[in-house]
Amino acid sequence: MKRRWFILFIFLIIFSNLNQATLVESEYECLYNLLSKILKVPKNFYKESDNRYALCQLNDKSGFLWAQCNEGVVNNIFLGSNNKSTIFSNNDFNCFSSLENIEIFFNYKFERNFLLGFSNNLVNFKSHSSDESLIDMDSSINKTIPIQFLYIYQLQIKRDFKIYFSNFVNVRNFEIDTLQSNYQINYINDLVNLECNFDIVSISSNNIPSMNNIKVNNLYIKLLSNFNIDSFFNFSTYTNNVSIELTPSDPSIVFPFPPPSFVESLKINYQIEKPLDFIDLSKFQNLYYLEIPNVGVLFNIDGELPFINMQNIRFFQFSNGKINYLNWTKLPNVVILRMENNGMTGTIPKKYPDDYFSDLYVRGNKLTGEIDESWYGKNFDISDNNISGELPSCFKCYYLQPLISSSLSGNRFKNFDPSNLEPCLDLELNLVYNHSFNRSLTLYGKNLGLLFNSFSIDNKALSPLPIDVCKEYNIRMKLTVPGDAPKVINITFPFLPQGPRTFEISAYNEFLPQIHSIIRYSDYFIISGKYFAYNQSVINVLISNHSCSIIKSNFNEIQCYLSNSNKIINNNEELITSIIQIMNVSSTFNFTVNQACNGSNCPIANCNKYGEYNYESGVCDCYSNEWRGYSCELKSLNCLSNDCSGNGYCNGIIGKCECNKNRIFDDCSGILCNDVCLNGGNCNFQIGICNCSSKWIESSGCSTPKQSIDSQQLEQIENEQILTLFGWFGNINRFLTILIDGKSCDIISNDNETIQCYPPNYQCDFIKTSSLELSVSQNNFIWNGIYNPIFINACSNSNEGSSINNSYSSNSNENNQKENSSSNSQNLVLILSILLSLILLGLLGLVFFKKSIIKNNYLNLNNNKFNENKIRLNDDNDQPDEFSKNKIKLINL
């Protein structure tokens, strides 16, 4: 019974389709006659009625569709029978009133001028296997193909053919693919006074046709064997062609680089012969896209890129050639660069050169260098080179993604072995709910994925969008889904080295942390609950008001370490208070002493083969410093400096240095200052001394003033002089002393910025010319300078000696002027008297000196007799030496 119902159901479906495809009589007759030329209709088709066959049913008995019909007429015809003796004429098809498409799958024959005689309804003609008769037609400006889209594939020719563009003036796109043969097919431009436009032209040819009066957006030419090399000069006629692609029928054939033209895009798929000189690309005035995927080893100039003046090139591919070294300066404006398998050397930049390249593909060369995180999210392939250095962590975590591994494999990264992948342990997750737009979340952290499919979200209504690859994603509700975004989601990372992992995560500050239990394992505390975090830096745990260092955390559990917890926790306490804070929200939880195990009452931990359980402490004793945790389940953390600069030790449990006294920083390299740095100072941790402004002494912690003088002023008041010093002296002035040339200046008064004192009484001119030393000492600090005051009422007007550009004027009265004049006169008389006395004494001595010389010439007396009476002239010690040299003896006359 069931079988009968099934047969009836199938019959109804077939009958329904037959009724929908029923043809009008003329269409039926035309289609019947067409199909009868290549097959036996009764044998291949089901009957539609007593005298008609269902020629437009979905499939014939063999499962092939021959025609598509609509509203009683034929729209599309598919000819698939392999009957090579059939010869079609266009009359076989022109009897259809609404025929739009013909597609032929086998190699039929056609009457001459077959393509020229179609009605204007035909839009598309496609032949997958074609006889030369299909293109056998007259050439004339009036003989045109009335088809918009013409596609002829695997055309077999048995004689030479010439195809004229005049036959195609009404065609929008045409493709004629000719099989390789010993005969030639050439395209002739016979359009002299007529312009022609094509979207796509794809031909197989033995020549490069002229393109005068022809505009083609996309031109594809397959270069057949026995190609006419001289026809390359026709490139000069390519003034209206946008894009050209040249492909050889035989990849081993070498062709020249095309001469200059006005094309915008040029793709060359053949090997290029060696150039005689560098090719000037500025002569290709419109060229910005140049693609050569199979260059060959000949196309270079002594191993150098054979192009110059490449300023206009934006896309450049030069692959499978031979280039010794790439001069990047030759590519000033290239955005997409593909230079693969050229054997070239050089150094790639550590920072991704996104100022130049959006895409960089340099696979299979000998490049060296390193890469950093700036390469995240970029389009590149640097595989099979000599890249070294540290592989950034996000690449390590997602190396199993095929696109990542294919772009990086075959290099020499120091911290990475693709045959022995290490687990991704530094995956950091943070989630924030965007209250300003309730339909989105922000996921941020570290190693979050490089590609759109690096992770998936369990809620299919959410869609992630990268903001900063590997670091931040915006997760939004899809537009078709109503409602707000959830505040708790599950994220799965399928490509991690340790295998797929799913993380439950809640948005920060949207839930209070819920604590179910706290269990103590010696100095380790295991906190169970939910709404915790994966990012340890946002978690704070206090046990009995002492900070417990976080060593592991996730959505449901926190593990922390409290050194010397026995000294902190009193086992006699009934309740132990803890505070767990996640970001800005916190919860308090009190646990009893019974919950805090100690030794024998601790749960026995599984030491993960890396340690041995200690029944006294209740935790595992790890076999080496490489492991940590109460069950040795975590790898020890490295400190910033494993030797802590020799000023502490590395605590591998929390990954921080425990520094000695007066040492600071994560590597204990800093030296704490002994004093608090006051008055705006700050500690210089390199030397442990405060950095102070110029007004304070460093060794005092910037608390003791460091005096300095800006200017000096000397004022005459009656018979006394008063010196005023301007500068900075502060309010701490222990042992304040002022000396001028070693003599004390008795202090009258002082404040933060001035000091007044009685200086030694020197003449003004003497002060100006003597450069006397001035020193101010206090608080065990001495300021030294030159005594050069500005004189007020003490001397004539002067601005000398001032460090301030203020001018002072003397206001002395007439009496002072007279006294000064009289005093100057008296001094002048005294000086002249002294000078006259000295001159007289000198003349008298000269007389005695001459007499003694004369007397000596006449007397020959014993020198010993008169030696006691030798005349001593002045106290000049050099004079006796001069006389001795001349053997002159002085005697007492």
Side-chain angles (χ1 to χ4, degrees), residues 204-221:
S204 300
S205 177
N206 291 93
N207 73 317
I208 300 288
S210 168
M211 286 291 165
N212 281 323
N213 299 322
I214 299 177
K215 180 179 180 181
V216 182
N217 289 332
N218 296 281
L219 175 62
Y220 304 89
I221 303 177

Side-chain angles (χ1 to χ4, degrees), residues 351-384:
K351 181 181 183 299
Y352 187 85
D354 48 10
D355 293 341
Y356 300 95
F357 307 121
S358 64
D359 298 60
L360 179 62
Y361 300 92
V362 288
R363 172 176 52 90
N365 289 291
K366 300 176 182 179
L367 300 174
T368 59
E370 302 180 15
I371 61 174
D372 62 12
E373 293 183 358
S374 65
W375 290 69
Y376 290 165
K378 300 299 190 295
N379 298 322
F380 70 90
D381 186 350
I382 58 173
S383 60
D384 299 325

Side-chain angles (χ1 to χ4, degrees), residues 291-304:
E291 184 177 359
I292 315 175
N294 190 28
V295 177
V297 297
L298 300 176
F299 192 54
N300 61 77
I301 302 291
D302 297 329
E304 189 176 345

Side-chain angles (χ1 to χ4, degrees), residues 264 279-290 305 307-316 327-336 356-357:
E264 296 179 10
I279 299 170
D280 188 353
L281 291 186
S282 65
K283 295 181 179 180
F284 295 73
Q285 297 180 15
N286 300 327
L287 186 64
Y288 71 92
Y289 184 103
L290 179 56
L305 201 65
F307 298 115
I308 59 174
N309 297 327
M310 301 180 65
Q311 293 84 351
N312 295 332
I313 305 300
R314 306 287 288 172
F315 178 100
F316 182 63
N327 184 356
W328 300 91
T329 60
K330 280 197 169 187
L331 312 170
N333 298 311
V334 171
V335 176
I336 300 176
Y356 300 95
F357 307 121

Side-chain angles (χ1 to χ4, degrees), residues 354-481:
D354 48 10
D355 293 341
Y356 300 95
F357 307 121
S358 64
D359 298 60
L360 179 62
Y361 300 92
V362 288
R363 172 176 52 90
N365 289 291
K366 300 176 182 179
L367 300 174
T368 59
E370 302 180 15
I371 61 174
D372 62 12
E373 293 183 358
S374 65
W375 290 69
Y376 290 165
K378 300 299 190 295
N379 298 322
F380 70 90
D381 186 350
I382 58 173
S383 60
D384 299 325
N385 278 283
N386 297 323
I387 312 301
S388 58
E390 301 283 334
L391 183 65
S393 60
C394 206
F395 289 130
K396 293 173 60 179
C397 288
Y398 297 93
Y399 187 79
L400 291 179
Q401 281 193 267
L403 186 59
I404 303 303
S405 57
S406 64
S407 300
L408 294 168
S409 62
N411 283 292
R412 303 176 180 180
F413 297 108
K414 296 178 181 178
N415 61 335
F416 179 72
D417 181 4
S419 63
N420 185 23
L421 298 178
E422 297 180 355
C424 181
L425 301 178
D426 50 357
L427 179 65
E428 180 185 295
L429 299 170
N430 304 272
L431 191 65
V432 173
Y433 187 81
N434 299 324
H435 286 275
S436 59
F437 182 66
N438 294 338
R439 291 176 55 81
S440 73
L441 301 157
T442 298
L443 178 70
Y444 68 94
K446 185 179 179 182
N447 295 330
L448 299 180
L450 292 156
L451 304 173
F452 68 93
N453 60 347
S454 294
F455 66 84
S456 61
I457 303 173
D458 63 338
N459 191 332
K460 302 305 178 184
L462 296 172
S463 177
L465 177 68
I467 304 300
D468 189 355
V469 176
C470 271
K471 299 177 182 179
E472 184 177 351
Y473 285 81
N474 182 260
I475 301 175
R476 292 194 174 195
M477 296 287 289
K478 294 180 179 178
L479 295 176
T480 56
V481 180

